[in-house]
Amino acid sequence: MHNRMTKYHASLLRVPAVKQDGSLISIAFTVALLPGIKKEDSLIVAIIRDDTANFNEHKKG
């Protein structure tokens, strides 16, 4: 990640996940590397959403 780019670039990633109560859901997320104040300081952030309804629709069709 020295070039500040993941191998997935801006792709939306979808994976199964387990909620705290043990139920299964599908999540979609993106990951970004944000520069810090100093060049060597960086932050990794992820935007995550519950994508279960969309996953179930695609599974049907």
Side-chain angles (χ1 to χ4, degrees):
M1 300 219 2
H2 293 287
N3 63 1
R4 299 192 184 278
M5 187 70 72
T6 70
K7 72 178 192 176
Y8 300 105
H9 302 286
S11 298
L12 187 63
L13 305 173
R14 292 180 172 89
V15 296
V18 180
K19 291 174 49 174
Q20 190 172 7
D21 66 5
S23 61
L24 297 175
I25 62 171
S26 179
I27 61 171
F29 66 98
T30 57
V31 177
L33 181 63
L34 302 178
I37 295 171
K38 300 177 185 175
K39 285 188 178 182
E40 60 274 358
D41 293 338
S42 298
L43 301 169
I44 298 174
V45 297
I47 300 171
I48 304 168
R49 72 167 190 229
D50 182 344
D51 200 39
T52 305
N54 189 37
F55 176 79
N56 287 339
E57 281 297 315
H58 281 82
K59 197 166 90 172
K60 286 181 188 177

